[in-house]
């Protein structure tokens, strides 16, 4: 049986369309190298049957059908970047920033900076249009940091995220947290709702698929304490916003939880996915400015996820470092 390395597939999928076709803002760091270990420490190589490669739908075709710009990155527990398409291009994070935000809250609590049971007061002026959980607690006038972090992930409550950010040093503090955990690309510059502007060529409040997937892999699989990682897993799994995105494209036997993001001109999903045999991965899919409607945009994300996970399900480690 003919086999290829995942590196070969990465090269196949990473070729971008002409710059004349659309505006792109590539990340300055890390520069694309084509290596599997661009994000984290040296990772194992993977061998993939040629038949599996032939069954993978080229993400460029999916991208062209959306009329927008698609970015994909799949990272395993060891930090290996298994699949990438436009993986080092910048995309607006939208609400996917709430995934590292929640991780930063858990890390701060683990480090004794504050307690998850500590409460944050708020008033009517703090309640944004989309804040389902905070609105329900307006009469109460305060919520615990754990309640707010959970609401930010599970239902993407915008007011919950804004109330937590000052406890982390604001957008700059969250960016610094990401730098400490190995992400030199992702940046948060504003809070809700202005971070959703997604202006052409504006690097503010952006990430790349590879950076976000690598960051969340490092947090889930290495840097968070076990109890905090499990708590974040539970919040991801309870999220109700991504049912029609990555979750809708899961192959049989796979499970996932995710943090979505939508900016009106962008549709994103960052998922912790688990194979039938128990392997975990982080899959980040970003779709910018599609010309199709929201329902079809979500279906494109689901199709991209299905292709990526069907492929990696047939990959196996070579045992070579």
């Amino acid at each position: 049986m003919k086999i290829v390395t995942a590196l070969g597939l990465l090269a196949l999928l990473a070729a971008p369309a002409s710059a004349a076709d659309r505006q792109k803002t590539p990340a300055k760091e890390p520069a694309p190298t084509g290596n599997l270990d661009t994000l984290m420490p040296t990772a194992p190589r993977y061998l993939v049957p040629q038949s599996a490669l032939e069954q993978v739908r080229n993400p460029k075709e999916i991208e062209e059908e959306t009329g927008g710009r698609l970015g994909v990155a799949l990272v395993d527990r060891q930090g290996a970047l298994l699949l990438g398409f436009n993986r080092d291009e910048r995309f607006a994070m939208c609400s996917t920033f709430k995934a590292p935000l929640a991780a930063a809250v858990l890390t701060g609590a683990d480090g004794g900076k504050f307690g998850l049971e500590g409460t944050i007061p708020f008033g009517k002026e703090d309640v944004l249009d989309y804040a389902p959980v905070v609105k329900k607690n307006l009469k109460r006038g305060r919520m615990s940091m754990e309640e707010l972090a959970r609401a930010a992930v599970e239902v993407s409550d915008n007011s919950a995220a804004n109330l937590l950010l000052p406890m982390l040093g604001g957008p700059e503090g969250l960016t610094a947290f990401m730098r400490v955990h190995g992400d030199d690309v992702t940046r948060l510059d504003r809070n809700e709702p202005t971070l959703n502007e997604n202006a052409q060529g504006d690097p503010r409040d952006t990430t790349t698929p590879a950076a976000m997937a690598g960051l969340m892999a490092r947090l889930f699989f290495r840097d968070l304490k076990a109890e905090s990682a499990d708590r974040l897993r539970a919040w991801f799994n309870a999220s109700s916003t991504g049912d029609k995105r990555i979750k809708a494209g899961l192959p049989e036997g796979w499970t996932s939880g995710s943090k979505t993001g939508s900016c009106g001109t962008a549709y994103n999903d960052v998922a912790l996915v688990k194979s039938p045999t128990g392997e975990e991965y982080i899959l980040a899919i970003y779709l910018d400015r599609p010309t199709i409607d929201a329902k079809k945009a979500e279906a494109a994300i689901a199709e991209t996820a299905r292709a990526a996970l069907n492929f990696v399900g047939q990959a196996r480690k070579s045992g070579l470092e």
Side-chain angles (χ1 to χ4, degrees):
M1 175 179 66
K2 185 176 180 181
I3 56 178
V4 295
T5 65
L7 179 58
L9 178 69
L10 187 62
L12 193 94
L13 298 186
S18 168
D21 294 338
R22 58 198 173 173
Q23 179 175 342
K24 296 179 178 180
T25 308
K28 292 183 178 180
E29 295 183 89
T33 64
N35 296 328
L36 289 178
D37 58 351
T38 54
L39 297 179
M40 293 168 63
T42 302
R45 297 175 64 190
Y46 283 73
L47 301 178
V48 184
Q50 181 66 28
S51 59
L53 178 61
E54 293 168 352
Q55 294 169 13
V56 176
R57 190 175 181 213
N58 192 326
K60 183 170 175 53
E61 294 177 3
I62 301 174
E63 178 186 59
E64 289 174 346
E65 290 171 1
T66 70
R69 182 168 57 99
L70 179 68
V72 184
L74 179 70
V75 174
D76 73 2
R77 289 184 65 95
Q78 288 73 41
L81 178 61
L82 303 183
L83 296 174
F85 179 75
N86 294 330
R87 70 185 191 273
D88 294 303
E89 291 186 20
R90 285 197 177 274
F91 291 80
M93 280 191 288
C94 310
S95 284
T96 62
F97 87 92
K98 294 167 185 168
L101 170 75
V105 170
L106 293 169
T107 299
D110 286 339
K113 293 182 179 179
F114 41 72
L116 290 178
E117 71 283 356
T119 61
I120 298 177
F122 57 87
K124 195 172 183 179
E125 67 279 5
D126 298 307
V127 181
L128 301 177
D129 289 341
Y130 183 76
V133 177
V134 172
K135 281 180 182 177
K136 287 181 180 179
N137 287 275
L138 182 56
K139 188 174 181 179
R140 176 182 164 199
R142 60 178 57 243
M143 292 174 63
S144 72
M145 294 194 68
E146 180 175 8
E147 289 173 322
L148 291 167
R150 180 176 181 178
V153 175
E154 291 188 357
V155 299
S156 203
D157 190 299
N158 288 337
S159 291
N162 279 2
L163 290 168
L164 287 169
L165 272 173
M167 300 297 296
L168 304 172
E172 298 83 2
L174 183 58
T175 299
F177 168 82
M178 294 185 285
R179 296 291 179 268
V180 167
H181 293 275
D183 182 350
D184 293 326
V185 175
T186 307
R187 53 182 287 181
L188 188 70
D189 299 86
R190 296 168 289 183
N191 64 4
E192 294 282 7
T194 54
L195 62 87
N196 297 302
E197 182 184 11
N198 193 20
Q200 286 276 14
D202 188 351
R204 290 180 298 173
D205 310 302
T206 62
T207 188
T208 70
M212 182 59 76
L215 172 64
M216 294 312 300
R218 182 162 182 165
L219 289 168
F220 267 117
F221 306 140
R222 290 181 52 192
D223 292 357
L224 284 173
K225 291 185 177 180
E227 183 178 350
S228 290
D230 287 343
R231 194 186 301 266
L232 187 57
R233 277 186 179 86
W235 294 344
F236 264 53
N237 290 336
S239 175
S240 58
T241 61
D243 290 349
K244 296 180 180 179
R245 299 188 187 183
I246 288 174
K247 187 179 292 186
L250 294 176
E252 184 176 358
W254 287 73
T255 60
S256 78
S258 73
K259 182 67 207 79
T260 58
S262 302
C263 295
T265 55
Y267 302 84
N268 310 326
D269 203 6
V270 178
L272 172 67
V273 296
K274 190 173 184 178
S275 75
T277 54
E279 292 90 354
E280 289 184 309
Y281 307 87
I282 300 294
L283 175 60
I285 302 178
Y286 286 78
L287 179 59
D288 184 53
R289 292 180 172 81
T291 57
I292 54 178
D293 62 27
K295 184 176 180 180
K296 291 180 179 178
E298 291 190 316
I301 291 175
E303 183 177 7
T304 302
R306 185 178 301 111
L309 298 179
N310 274 329
F311 176 85
V312 79
Q314 299 184 61
R316 57 185 174 82
K317 292 180 184 178
S318 68
L320 300 176
E321 296 297 327

